[in-house]
Amino acid sequence: MSEQLNFEVPTMAEMIAKGEEPEILFWVGCAGSYDERAQKTTRDICKILHHVGIKYAVLGTEESCTGDPAKRAGNEFLFQMQAMTNIEVLNGYNIKKIVTGCPHCFNTIKNEYPGLGGSYDVIHHTQLIQDLINDGKLKAEGGESFKGKKITYHDPCYLGRGNDVYEAPRKALEVLDAQLVEMKRCKSNGLCCGAGGAQMFKEPEKGNKDINIERIEEALDTQPQVIAASCPFCMTMLSDGVKMKDQDKNVQVLDIAEITARANGL
Amino acid sequence: MVLQILFIAITLAAIALFSFNLKKVIRNIRIGKAADRTDQPQKRFMTMVKVALGQTKMFFRPIPAFLHLIVYAGFIIINIEVLEIMIDGIFGTHRIFGGLGPIYNFLIGSFEILALGVWLGCAVFLIRRNVIKLKRFSGVEMTSWPRSDANYILITEILLMTAFLIMNAADAKLQAMGASHYTLAGSFPVSQHLANLLPNSEGALMAIERGCWWFHIIGILAFLNYLPYSKHFHILFAFPNTYFSNLEPKGEFTNMQSVTNEVKAMLDPSFSPPEAEPGKFGAKDVNDLSWVNLMNAYTCTECGRCTSVCPANITGKLLSPRKIMMDTRDRLEEVGKNIDKTGNGFDDGKSLIDSYISREEIWACTSCNACTDACPINIDPLAIITELRRYAVMEESQAPASINAMLGNIENNGAPWKYSPADRLNWAKES
């Protein structure tokens, strides 16, 4: 389970140069590209893709921000500039199917790009994992055992309420034979981690508590060993919360992709 | 005959006044910008049936949902009775449908049971608001008028139901006494227990029966005319509001066509944008919002389900989605009054942003959609917050400094943080 990838991650440019086409494009996202914690998830998504033998590629340096934070912050100009530039790249490579490592990228490309000329079949990485499990290509064997471990899953707003994806991440956890415990506020009633709507990039307004603390208290109420996330922003907020509560020795915050990779010994 | 004329006059006046005020409300809603919500009529109709008529979203909180269902069903069904009252009032008849015999008895019996249900439901609602003081019914926006409004509605419904039941009790007693004009009709499973409280003289009973009859119908007509001033407007607006609600995934924000044209022109010099009316980006005031946003504001019944699930509000921030809706309605009413007084172009120097909704509120939103999901009749406070942010950012360049830094980063290096685009694939190379 080395951090290092023991295989090359193919870029679209390389693939096209070889005259090949990928089955799916992996849209990494800014957090997944630059944030140290999220990079681990990114590598694990690649490990899963590599493991099951799906022909995939990333855009690499040709990828740019989807424009999501600009749009949520109200800068429609910047959003559409980003969107149209990205669409030009994606259409140029004749991309049909995209998997994203981030619910914000997922939502933006899936819902907001079609109106600007970019229509693709877009899935989030938890949906890819669910599909692979359903097809029998991915099991939970050969790696770390999560059997009987108490895991609680935090729904990211842009995957859950934003796009009604509640089952895919839970499916990925069910195969672990772990003990899934739901927080009091879950699924469509899930509480935001506090990072959405461009909050990730600013200090919160004056209040009596930070949103991620409110959320982490609820998560810790379930006495979990693992808090599962599926969004790099949630990952940051939840990890910070666990640290603030001095629970980082007892509780791990892991992305669904990381859990899946670990369970399969990737 | 005099009473019949009086009745007809009161009814017509009430309907005329209501139409006048309703027209004004519709005019106010039309101040909003165009938005197309006419696609997928079948799906829209089904959404309306499920959400407004079927109240499916209420059942997330079963106790108020159950009480609300009784009050709602009671109020609607008992209004069949109003049809009879209308006919009796106009033609001077008494219990015109009495000839239906057993069907009539069943109907009146059911109305009585429902009336009792409405009575009890409203009583529990009053207790929840005024004795238990549920947190959901408080908050900065719940000033004295909204609180009184809620109480007036509940007390009025209790009074109307009381009048209905006492009227029936007196009627039944008069029927038993064989009083002329009081033909045997109806069954009175609830009001029969009130009979002993009433006097035995025929004159007094007739006075009570007539008094309650007039109170009931004038009460209903007055209530109808109270709606345009009240949060209770939702009993009508819930239907168009759900029909025209957003059918797209909640995470999807609208793409602004005016911006698309400009961006296309920037990226492709050969592109000539279609002639568009010059307008501002985003919303400074209610006339910059869409008519759907404005209809949402008139529809809101201030139940506070949105605010009670808002992560910002829960953690003590100033933002309350309910306040966003109430402010929008209050401002729209104010703009409407300005138009009444001085015509269209009047500028009172106020705006929705700053005069009503503060910057601190709009920037506290995480766009998590908890509010829109929680609303039992599909109101969308997030859409208004987004329009206000668009105005602040695109028209005024007034965003928090850290937001401006993030936007600058995206513009310069294609990521919200200060990293070089050349390093984007480094995760694949190092550990």
Side-chain angles (χ1 to χ4, degrees), chain B residues 95 102-117 164-166 168-169 172 175 185-195:
Chain B
R95 293 194 184 266
I103 302 173
Y104 187 75
N105 292 351
F106 171 77
L107 282 175
I108 294 293
S110 322
F111 294 165
E112 285 218 336
I113 291 165
L114 277 167
L116 179 67
F164 174 71
L165 289 171
I166 293 177
N168 277 354
Q175 286 179 25
S187 71
F188 307 99
V190 176
S191 65
Q192 62 184 352
H193 302 290
L194 301 172

Coordinates of all heavy atoms in Angstrom, one line a residue, chain B residues 95 102-117 164-166 168-169 172 175 185-195:
Chain B
R95 N -81.1 25.5 4.6 CA -80.6 24.2 4.4 C -81.2 23.6 3.1 O -81.8 22.6 3.1 CB -80.8 23.3 5.6 CG -80.0 23.7 6.8 CD -80.0 22.7 7.9 NE -79.3 23.2 9.1 CZ -78.0 23.0 9.3 NH1 -77.2 22.3 8.5 NH2 -77.4 23.5 10.4
P102 N -80.3 11.2 3.7 CA -79.2 10.5 4.3 C -77.8 11.1 3.9 O -76.9 11.2 4.7 CB -79.3 9.1 4.0 CG -80.5 9.0 3.0 CD -81.2 10.2 3.0
I103 N -77.7 11.4 2.6 CA -76.4 12.0 2.1 C -76.1 13.3 2.8 O -75.0 13.5 3.3 CB -76.5 12.2 0.6 CG1 -76.8 10.9 -0.1 CG2 -75.2 12.8 0.1 CD1 -77.1 11.1 -1.6
Y104 N -77.2 14.1 3.0 CA -77.0 15.4 3.7 C -76.6 15.1 5.1 O -75.7 15.8 5.6 CB -78.3 16.2 3.6 CG -78.1 17.6 4.1 CD1 -77.5 18.5 3.4 CD2 -78.7 17.9 5.4 CE1 -77.3 19.8 3.9 CE2 -78.5 19.2 5.9 CZ -77.8 20.2 5.1 OH -77.7 21.4 5.6
N105 N -77.3 14.2 5.7 CA -77.0 13.9 7.1 C -75.5 13.4 7.3 O -74.8 13.9 8.2 CB -77.9 12.7 7.7 CG -79.3 13.2 7.7 OD1 -79.6 14.4 7.6 ND2 -80.2 12.3 8.0
F106 N -75.1 12.6 6.3 CA -73.7 12.1 6.3 C -72.7 13.3 6.2 O -71.7 13.5 6.9 CB -73.5 11.1 5.2 CG -72.0 10.7 5.1 CD1 -71.4 9.9 6.0 CD2 -71.3 11.3 4.0 CE1 -70.1 9.5 5.8 CE2 -69.9 10.9 3.9 CZ -69.3 10.1 4.8
L107 N -73.1 14.2 5.2 CA -72.2 15.4 5.0 C -72.1 16.2 6.2 O -71.0 16.6 6.6 CB -72.7 16.2 3.8 CG -72.4 15.6 2.4 CD1 -73.1 16.5 1.3 CD2 -70.9 15.6 2.1
I108 N -73.2 16.6 6.7 CA -73.2 17.5 7.9 C -72.5 16.9 9.1 O -71.7 17.5 9.8 CB -74.6 18.0 8.3 CG1 -75.2 18.8 7.1 CG2 -74.6 18.7 9.6 CD1 -74.6 20.2 6.9
G109 N -72.7 15.6 9.2 CA -72.1 14.8 10.3 C -70.6 14.9 10.1 O -69.8 15.1 11.1
S110 N -70.1 14.6 8.9 CA -68.6 14.6 8.6 C -68.1 16.0 8.8 O -67.0 16.2 9.4 CB -68.3 14.2 7.2 OG -69.2 13.2 6.8
F111 N -68.8 17.1 8.4 CA -68.3 18.4 8.6 C -68.1 18.7 10.1 O -67.2 19.4 10.5 CB -69.3 19.4 8.0 CG -69.5 19.4 6.5 CD1 -70.6 20.0 5.9 CD2 -68.6 18.7 5.7 CE1 -70.7 20.0 4.5 CE2 -68.7 18.7 4.3 CZ -69.8 19.3 3.7
E112 N -69.1 18.2 10.8 CA -69.0 18.5 12.3 C -67.7 17.9 12.9 O -67.0 18.5 13.7 CB -70.2 18.0 13.0 CG -71.4 18.9 12.7 CD -72.3 19.0 14.0 OE1 -72.3 18.1 14.8 OE2 -73.0 20.0 14.1
I113 N -67.5 16.6 12.5 CA -66.3 15.9 13.0 C -65.0 16.7 12.6 O -64.1 16.9 13.3 CB -66.3 14.4 12.6 CG1 -67.5 13.7 13.3 CG2 -65.0 13.8 12.9 CD1 -67.8 12.4 12.8
L114 N -65.0 17.0 11.3 CA -63.9 17.8 10.8 C -63.7 19.1 11.5 O -62.6 19.5 11.8 CB -64.0 18.0 9.3 CG -63.6 16.8 8.4 CD1 -64.0 17.1 7.0 CD2 -62.0 16.7 8.4
A115 N -64.9 19.8 11.7 CA -64.8 21.1 12.4 C -64.2 20.9 13.8 O -63.3 21.8 14.2 CB -66.2 21.7 12.5
L116 N -64.5 19.9 14.5 CA -63.9 19.6 15.8 C -62.4 19.4 15.6 O -61.6 19.9 16.4 CB -64.6 18.4 16.4 CG -64.0 18.1 17.8 CD1 -64.3 19.1 18.8 CD2 -64.6 16.7 18.3
G117 N -62.1 18.6 14.6 CA -60.7 18.4 14.3 C -59.9 19.7 14.0 O -58.8 19.9 14.5
F164 N -69.8 27.6 13.5 CA -70.4 26.6 12.7 C -71.1 25.5 13.6 O -72.3 25.1 13.4 CB -69.4 25.9 11.8 CG -69.8 24.7 11.1 CD1 -70.7 24.8 10.0 CD2 -69.4 23.4 11.4 CE1 -71.1 23.7 9.3 CE2 -69.8 22.3 10.7 CZ -70.7 22.4 9.7
L165 N -70.4 25.2 14.7 CA -70.9 24.1 15.6 C -72.1 24.7 16.4 O -73.1 24.0 16.6 CB -69.8 23.6 16.5 CG -68.8 22.7 15.8 CD1 -67.6 22.4 16.7 CD2 -69.4 21.4 15.2
I166 N -72.0 25.9 16.9 CA -73.1 26.5 17.7 C -74.3 26.7 16.8 O -75.5 26.4 17.2 CB -72.7 27.8 18.3 CG1 -71.6 27.5 19.4 CG2 -73.9 28.5 19.0 CD1 -71.0 28.8 20.1
N168 N -75.2 24.9 14.3 CA -75.8 23.6 14.1 C -76.6 23.2 15.4 O -77.7 22.6 15.3 CB -74.8 22.5 13.8 CG -74.4 22.5 12.3 OD1 -75.1 23.2 11.5 ND2 -73.4 21.7 11.9
A169 N -76.0 23.4 16.5 CA -76.6 23.0 17.8 C -77.9 23.7 17.9 O -78.9 23.1 18.3 CB -75.7 23.4 19.0
A172 N -80.4 22.3 15.4 CA -81.0 21.0 15.8 C -82.0 21.2 16.9 O -83.1 20.5 16.8 CB -79.8 20.1 16.3
Q175 N -85.1 22.5 15.3 CA -85.7 21.4 14.5 C -86.6 20.5 15.4 O -87.7 20.2 15.2 CB -84.7 20.5 13.8 CG -84.1 21.2 12.6 CD -83.0 20.3 12.0 OE1 -83.0 19.1 12.1 NE2 -82.0 20.9 11.3
A185 N -83.3 18.3 9.1 CA -82.2 18.0 8.2 C -80.9 18.0 8.9 O -80.7 18.8 9.8 CB -82.2 19.0 7.0
G186 N -80.0 17.1 8.5 CA -78.7 17.0 9.1 C -78.6 16.1 10.3 O -79.6 15.7 10.9
S187 N -77.3 15.7 10.6 CA -77.1 14.9 11.8 C -75.9 15.7 12.5 O -75.1 16.3 11.9 CB -76.7 13.5 11.5 OG -75.4 13.5 10.9
F188 N -76.0 15.7 13.8 CA -75.1 16.6 14.6 C -74.3 15.9 15.6 O -74.5 16.1 16.8 CB -76.0 17.7 15.1 CG -76.8 18.4 14.1 CD1 -78.2 18.0 13.9 CD2 -76.3 19.3 13.3 CE1 -78.9 18.6 13.0 CE2 -77.1 19.9 12.3 CZ -78.4 19.6 12.1
P189 N -73.4 15.0 15.2 CA -72.6 14.2 16.2 C -71.8 15.0 17.2 O -71.6 14.6 18.3 CB -71.7 13.3 15.3 CG -71.6 14.1 14.0 CD -72.9 14.8 13.8
V190 N -71.4 16.2 16.8 CA -70.5 17.0 17.7 C -71.4 18.0 18.4 O -71.4 18.1 19.6 CB -69.4 17.7 17.0 CG1 -68.6 18.6 17.9 CG2 -68.5 16.6 16.3
S191 N -72.2 18.8 17.6 CA -72.9 19.9 18.2 C -74.0 19.5 19.1 O -74.4 20.3 19.9 CB -73.4 20.8 17.1 OG -74.4 20.2 16.3
Q192 N -74.5 18.3 19.0 CA -75.5 17.8 19.9 C -75.1 18.0 21.4 O -75.9 18.2 22.3 CB -76.0 16.4 19.6 CG -74.9 15.4 19.8 CD -75.4 14.0 19.4 OE1 -76.5 13.8 19.1 NE2 -74.5 13.0 19.4
H193 N -73.8 17.9 21.6 CA -73.3 18.0 23.0 C -73.3 19.4 23.5 O -73.1 19.7 24.7 CB -71.9 17.4 23.1 CG -71.8 15.9 22.7 ND1 -72.4 14.9 23.4 CD2 -71.3 15.4 21.6 CE1 -72.2 13.8 22.8 NE2 -71.6 14.0 21.7
L194 N -73.5 20.4 22.6 CA -73.6 21.8 23.0 C -75.0 22.2 23.3 O -75.2 23.3 23.8 CB -73.0 22.7 21.9 CG -71.6 22.4 21.4 CD1 -71.2 23.2 20.2 CD2 -70.6 22.7 22.6
A195 N -76.0 21.4 23.0 CA -77.4 21.8 23.1 C -77.7 22.3 24.5 O -78.4 23.3 24.6 CB -78.3 20.6 22.7

